[in-house]
Amino acid sequence: MTEPAVGFMLRHILGCRKQRAGATSPLVVGVQGPQGIGKSFLTEILRDELISPPLNLSVALISLDDLYLPHSELARVADDHPHNPLLQGRGLPGTHDVTLGTKILNSLRRINEPDAEGTVSIPIFDKSLHSGRGDRIERATVASRPLDVAIIEGWCTGFYPIPPETIEERYVSSGGPRHSFPYRKEDVSEINELLRPYAGWWSTFDTLIQLSPSDKSSFDLVYKWRIEQEHFMKTRNGGRGMTDDQVVSFVDRYIPGYVFFGDTIENGYTDEHGQAIPPPWKGNALRIVIGAEREVVRSVIF
């Protein structure tokens, strides 16, 4: 998958930069895909291609994972929502530091302006700490001007809230909880409200790249890929992380996000007046469809 996928992503980004010839702000690119599909791996290779000759671009790479709340605050969120299993740990909207994320993304957008500070500090979240529950660490990465491209990758990148009646329809049509994970329609409604401020994050994007499984109606691959990802992490850090059963429980919390909000990447959202608002990348986003063996099936602009 690696070479074809990175090739599609690279050509898309360079095409978007060409469309913005003369722009002083960096090209801000969202990358979305489910757990384990290879977002972090592919975006790191993509960054290396962009910063290397002959392109020699300056690139900032951010994971939404690094915008999670610290461990103590994640515990507080769980305690404040004891009846919502979707908030019992990091993952869903409501477990990120929205204020910090907004500051970082807006600062990256303005980083090249003469009156801007010129550097942006980006936190690091270590997912192996606290038996795999994770925590923010003191060390951070720093983006500096001049910045050409900012890439923001995450599983829910580009997700928007949906109308209450759509939650009702999808809860019924999906058959309710999947994989024996007990969540209620009210739990999804709470996530829906917590998702609203994330629209401010997505408004900073110029384009979006989606890595999509070829069969989006089945989530078995998400579990398989995420377990493989955890095993790989543990081989590199001395075995710190989650067990396979813990990974399954962890992924369980994410599945409702795909079921209820996954198509908003393409469709956008409906505002309080009932008006349909398309996403800012509408007509200029790239979807790369990935098969069961991680092969690139096709790509499409949407």
Side-chain angles (χ1 to χ4, degrees), residues 79-276:
D79 289 343
D80 288 346
H81 303 85
H83 303 298
N84 191 338
L86 301 176
L87 292 171
Q88 300 306 302
R90 74 177 192 267
L92 276 289
T95 63
H96 298 89
D97 191 330
V98 173
T99 300
L100 178 61
T102 300
K103 179 181 178 181
I104 288 172
L105 291 173
N106 287 336
S107 296
L108 285 172
R109 189 77 190 179
R110 298 186 60 251
I111 192 171
N112 294 334
E113 296 179 9
D115 61 342
E117 187 172 334
T119 61
V120 178
S121 181
I122 302 163
I124 298 173
F125 190 92
D126 187 339
K127 293 184 284 187
S128 70
L129 299 177
H130 301 287
S131 300
R133 293 187 294 274
D135 200 357
R136 190 183 296 171
I137 62 175
E138 291 185 8
R139 185 164 52 90
T141 58
V142 177
S144 303
R145 71 170 172 230
L147 184 65
D148 298 306
V149 181
I151 302 171
I152 297 90
E153 61 93 357
W155 79 277
C156 65
T157 303
F159 283 13
Y160 287 99
I162 57 178
E165 59 270 21
T166 305
I167 294 177
E168 173 71 32
E169 293 167 1
R170 294 184 179 179
Y171 191 82
V172 173
S173 63
S174 69
R178 293 165 176 254
H179 294 271
S180 302
F181 179 62
Y183 67 89
R184 306 164 302 158
K185 182 179 62 179
E186 292 79 8
D187 300 329
V188 178
S189 296
E190 192 163 30
I191 299 300
N192 194 54
E193 291 304 310
L194 291 168
L195 183 55
R196 293 192 185 281
Y198 289 65
W201 290 8
W202 319 145
S203 68
T204 66
F205 290 5
D206 295 297
T207 187
L208 183 137
I209 299 172
Q210 182 181 39
L211 302 170
S212 176
S214 54
D215 184 3
K216 291 189 287 187
S217 65
S218 172
F219 298 100
D220 292 340
L221 279 177
V222 178
Y223 289 87
K224 174 179 178 293
W225 288 340
R226 185 59 183 82
I227 288 173
E228 291 173 351
Q229 186 183 63
E230 194 75 8
H231 286 184
F232 179 69
M233 181 187 75
K234 290 163 73 173
T235 63
R236 301 174 70 185
N237 69 10
R240 290 181 289 117
M242 293 184 281
T243 66
D244 288 359
D245 287 343
Q246 287 173 328
V247 172
V248 170
S249 297
F250 176 74
V251 174
D252 278 341
R253 291 203 310 275
Y254 289 76
I255 300 301
Y258 302 124
V259 172
F260 290 91
F261 311 115
D263 66 339
T264 60
I265 286 178
E266 184 167 359
N267 299 331
Y269 68 104
T270 303
D271 67 12
E272 64 273 17
H273 305 295
Q275 182 178 355

